[in-house]
Amino acid sequence: MSYKKILTIQDISCVGQCSLTVALPILSACGMETAILPSAVLSTHTAGFTGFTVRDLTDDIPAIQQHWLKENIKFDCFYTGYLGSTKQIDYVIDILATLGSDTCVKVVDPAMADNGKLYPAFDMEYVKEMRNLCAKADILVPNITEACYLADVEYKEVYDEAYITHLLQELTKINSNKIVLTGVGYREGYTGVLVYENGTTQYYEHVHIAKGCHGTGDVYASAFVGALMNDKSTFEAAKIAADYTVKCIENTQDDPTHWYGVKFETALKYLMDQTL
């Protein structure tokens, strides 16, 4: 295993087990040197908590980038998550163009929507700008809702394989590199991930746990990047991340007080055993 340096760019929700508070420990557990660029600092995440505080860090990003350039700091992987504005997306596109090593891998999780709707802070102008970022990625990791917005395809809760094939075809018009489409389920009680690579697709099905948990998309994307940068294939990394995320949810199900996220720490050994 080579020791690689990853930069993950997303917000910090100080309490809530999502975004950077998930990405940093998961990537570190996978043996990666993990640098962070926070897009904002929140006291908690925004799902279920009230009265949370938010400090936008947009204006800090260019100065951080310039300092890294001056120090000749380069990264082997970029992994982007929740970005708070179109201005932040523009800054991130420039970072991806200037701070990567010669073999840098760019992974974009277009964290902007779920369950058929955009997150409250975003609009179609944001979607348009996110398409520009997604076009720069080596690997996209959207859920079905995000894929629908990016590809301008009608969202459906009930669908068949033909619908997913069409969605994927439209999405490749934005980026034809590699796509890991999450939350794809064709039968009751199961869901899975669809991996598009080199013009072909592979599907991995796993059990679907009905009770949703906030932050599992961040858990999945972080575990995927950690496995991928440990020289797992795209499909192998997608499978490892799916199984790890399921274990995190299972380890949280019996604790009604832990409603705000998943106990991802309790399954880190499993992830390390599968990845390192």
Side-chain angles (χ1 to χ4, degrees):
M1 182 189 77
S2 59
Y3 187 59
K4 296 171 183 174
K5 183 183 293 183
I6 295 177
L7 173 63
T8 180
I9 311 172
Q10 47 192 309
D11 70 280
I12 297 175
S13 291
C14 299
V15 171
Q17 294 174 305
C18 65
S19 53
L20 282 181
T21 57
V22 162
L24 178 56
I26 288 177
L27 291 170
S28 298
C30 290
M32 305 291 122
E33 178 185 351
T34 307
I36 64 170
L37 181 52
S39 57
V41 178
L42 295 83
S43 55
T44 66
H45 64 62
T46 60
F49 292 104
T50 59
F52 48 83
T53 66
V54 181
R55 182 172 294 275
D56 186 291
L57 299 180
T58 302
D59 293 340
D60 295 279
I61 294 175
I64 294 172
Q65 178 190 10
Q66 288 305 311
H67 183 218
W68 288 344
L69 286 167
K70 180 181 177 182
E71 296 294 331
N72 195 32
I73 295 171
K74 298 290 185 179
F75 299 98
D76 300 305
C77 176
F78 296 118
Y79 156 38
T80 72
Y82 184 95
L83 303 172
S85 65
T86 57
K87 190 174 183 180
Q88 286 189 357
I89 294 175
D90 287 340
Y91 286 153
V92 170
I93 289 173
D94 192 55
I95 287 171
L96 266 58
T98 58
L99 288 170
S101 67
D102 292 340
T103 57
C104 183
V105 177
K106 306 176 183 71
V107 181
V108 173
D109 175 5
M112 62 180 180
D114 204 0
N115 299 315
K117 297 180 180 180
L118 288 171
Y119 295 152
F122 300 145
D123 56 18
M124 291 308 298
E125 186 63 29
Y126 184 91
V127 174
K128 180 180 177 181
E129 198 62 28
M130 181 56 74
R131 290 184 184 126
N132 293 332
L133 175 59
C134 290
K136 311 294 183 183
D138 296 308
I139 305 176
L140 294 183
V141 190
N143 61 36
I144 290 179
T145 301
E146 290 157 349
C148 286
Y149 274 104
L150 290 168
D152 194 22
V153 170
E154 180 185 1
Y155 173 80
K156 294 182 179 180
E157 290 188 7
V158 180
Y159 51 81
D160 55 16
E161 291 189 39
Y163 171 80
I164 295 298
T165 298
H166 172 66
L167 174 59
L168 197 60
Q169 288 173 341
E170 293 302 304
L171 195 57
T172 59
K173 294 177 182 179
I174 297 170
N175 189 314
S176 60
N177 291 323
K178 300 176 184 179
I179 299 169
V180 178
L181 184 61
T182 64
V184 180
Y186 298 121
R187 59 185 182 131
E188 187 175 354
Y190 292 89
T191 187
V193 290
L194 187 70
V195 176
Y196 169 88
E197 186 174 14
N198 299 324
T200 63
T201 59
Q202 292 178 279
Y203 179 65
Y204 179 64
E205 184 181 69
H206 58 85
V207 66
H208 172 67
I209 300 175
K211 183 181 178 181
C213 296
H214 186 79
T216 50
D218 301 330
V219 169
Y220 180 88
S222 301
F224 169 78
V225 173
L228 183 78
M229 297 308 291
N230 273 294
D231 301 321
K232 304 298 183 184
S233 71
T234 309
F235 187 62
E236 286 175 323
K239 289 171 59 178
I240 289 169
D243 290 340
Y244 171 66
T245 303
V246 170
K247 287 185 178 297
C248 294
I249 298 172
E250 288 175 342
N251 290 355
T252 313
Q253 291 293 293
D254 61 352
D255 186 353
T257 69
H258 203 95
W259 54 267
Y260 48 84
V262 290
K263 298 178 180 179
F264 72 92
E265 305 91 343
T266 63
L268 278 175
K269 186 180 184 302
Y270 169 84
L271 178 63
M272 295 166 70
D273 288 344
Q274 297 298 310
T275 301
L276 298 178

